[in-house]
């Protein structure tokens, strides 16, 4: 299923947050969105997830979601959002419980997703027993358990140290190689954007407008931390963002 965003504009009272954003998130691709702080990235994701209604414009789901999908548009949060009193299995079960599935289907989906994300050995463990990286792996497994059409990821790695972030990026790449999931991935980190994005969208300072869309052809599995080609793209992206970020830094909410 593709997600088509057409002429999306959003305003909170007098605050213009997003302006005329038109963008496709094609099935099977990771689209990274970068832009200065406060430019409307999280707002865009909330609009995509239907948590808020846009002031203008529309979001179209084109094509069918995956078979068995319980929630076509599923979030992964920066802070993992795991319940401490539930085990890994229990946390995954939580997103399945509201869907009138039988016990055995819930159990089947849990073991399936744990296997897909290589977490089968951790089913009975509590979040406090896990590192930050492992918690985010569980949050990713939980999101996949509903067979989403599009994963909505808001800075999913930003709470992690840089080594763990590297490991999780490798994880996401191999998961994508296996499953070809579709994602809208918000990040501040341009290195993440060039490692994970098939397409990188640069938003301007608020009100966020599309400043540039950069398609990166290098297959995800061939992208390494020290690639000169990716380094050049990252520099280009930074040059685009620098001016926006400098001005945004001086912008007040009520200005
Ligand atoms: N519910 C709301 N009501 C009023 N203003 C809001 C609301 N949510 C966000 N804003 C404002 O809208 C603007 C965009 O916020 P948003 O969180 O989308 O930015 P962002 O690009 O995700 O920022 P960051 O990079 O810091 O995460 C900000 O100025 C913010 O203060
Ligand atoms: Mg944000």
């Amino acid at each position: 299923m593709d997600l088509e965003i057409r002429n999306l504009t959003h305003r909170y009272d007098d605050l213009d947050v997003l302006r005329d954003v038109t963008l496709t998130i094609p099935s099977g691709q990771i689209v990274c969105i970068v832009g200065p702080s406060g430019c409307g990235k999280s707002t865009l994701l909330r609009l995509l997830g239907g948590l808020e209604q846009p002031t203008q414009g529309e979001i179209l789901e084109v094509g069918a979601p995956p078979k068995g999908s319980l929630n076509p548009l599923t979030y992964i949060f920066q802070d993992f959002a795991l319940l401490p009193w539930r085990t890994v299995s229990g946390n995954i079960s939580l997103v399945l419980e509201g869907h009138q599935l039988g016990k055995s289907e819930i159990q089947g989906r849990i073991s399936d997703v744990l296997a897909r994300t290589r977490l089968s050995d951790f089913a009975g463990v509590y979040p406090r027993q896990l590192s930050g990286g492992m918690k985010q792996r569980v949050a990713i497994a939980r999101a996949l358990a509903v067979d989403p059409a599009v994963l909505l990821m808001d800075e999913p790695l930003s709470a992690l140290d840089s080594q763990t972030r590297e490991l999780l990026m490798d994880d996401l790449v191999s998961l994508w190689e296996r499953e070809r999931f579709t994602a809208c991935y918000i990040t501040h980190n341009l290195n993440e954007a060039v490692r994970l994005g098939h397409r990188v969208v640069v938003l301007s300072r608020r009100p966020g407008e599309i400043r540039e869309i950069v398609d990166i052809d290098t297959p995800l599995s061939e992208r390494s931390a020290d690639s000169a080609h990716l380094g050049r793209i990252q520099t280009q992206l930074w040059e685009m963002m620098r001016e926006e970020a400098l001005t945004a830094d001086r912008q007040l909410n009520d200005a």
Side-chain angles (χ1 to χ4, degrees):
M1 188 186 94
D2 297 349
L3 209 53
E4 275 189 23
I5 304 163
R6 292 201 190 147
N7 307 104
L8 207 67
T9 289
H10 197 64
R11 203 171 294 126
Y12 291 114
D13 300 318
D14 291 340
L15 192 73
D16 280 329
V17 176
L18 289 168
R19 186 178 289 164
D20 205 22
V21 172
T22 292
L23 174 71
T24 300
I25 299 179
S27 180
Q29 290 202 5
I30 302 178
V31 175
C32 289
I33 313 251
V34 299
S37 191
C39 76
K41 301 180 296 298
S42 297
T43 303
L44 176 61
L45 213 62
R46 286 199 298 274
L47 295 172
L48 295 184
L51 300 182
E52 290 184 55
Q53 291 308 306
T55 311
Q56 275 170 39
E58 53 187 358
I59 297 156
L60 302 174
E61 297 175 11
V62 181
K67 210 167 141 271
S69 179
L70 300 173
N71 186 10
L73 302 165
T74 298
Y75 264 87
I76 293 178
F77 296 98
Q78 180 180 350
D79 62 358
F80 327 130
L82 300 178
L83 294 180
W85 58 86
R86 285 198 174 212
T87 60
V88 166
S89 281
N91 269 282
I92 297 173
S93 168
L94 192 70
V95 298
L96 302 171
E97 286 163 10
H99 291 281
Q100 295 176 328
L101 306 172
K103 262 200 180 132
S104 65
E105 165 142 27
I106 292 185
Q107 213 40 58
R109 277 184 180 252
I110 294 172
S111 20
D112 173 57
V113 83
L114 287 175
R116 281 157 60 197
T117 52
R118 321 254 143 111
L119 287 171
S120 301
D121 292 345
F122 297 88
V125 162
Y126 286 90
R128 65 170 181 278
Q129 297 170 274
L130 298 172
S131 64
M134 286 298 287
K135 284 182 193 154
Q136 193 54 300
R137 285 189 175 92
V138 173
I140 292 168
R142 180 180 55 186
L144 292 173
V146 299
D147 285 321
V150 184
L151 283 174
L152 303 174
M153 308 171 92
D154 198 353
E155 308 209 25
L157 307 187
S158 66
L160 305 170
D161 62 77
S162 57
Q163 263 170 347
T164 310
R165 204 180 296 154
E166 279 294 324
L167 295 174
L168 262 280
M169 276 197 270
D170 288 347
D171 253 30
L172 284 171
V173 168
S174 53
L175 185 68
W176 186 85
E177 291 291 335
R178 297 195 299 274
E179 309 212 348
R180 308 278 152 151
F181 61 84
T182 311
C184 180
Y185 187 108
I186 308 266
T187 179
H188 266 108
N189 184 314
L190 296 179
N191 183 251
E192 269 173 52
V194 299
R195 296 278 295 284
L196 298 174
H198 296 96
R199 167 173 292 182
V200 181
V201 179
V202 182
L203 291 183
S204 69
R205 63 184 176 271
R206 198 183 67 235
E209 292 179 278
I210 293 187
R211 159 117 204 228
E212 196 77 42
I213 297 180
V214 179
D215 285 311
I216 307 178
D217 294 334
T218 315
L220 293 194
S221 56
E222 290 169 25
R223 299 185 191 184
S224 63
D226 53 3
S227 148
H229 176 58
L230 293 182
R232 279 192 295 276
I233 299 176
Q234 194 177 324
T235 307
Q236 256 174 24
L237 290 169
W238 171 237
E239 279 160 10
M240 283 173 217
M241 265 186 61
R242 196 179 131 77
E243 187 192 330
E244 302 291 339
L246 276 173
T247 322
D249 197 37
R250 289 164 176 73
Q251 200 171 34
L252 292 174
N253 256 356
D254 57 0

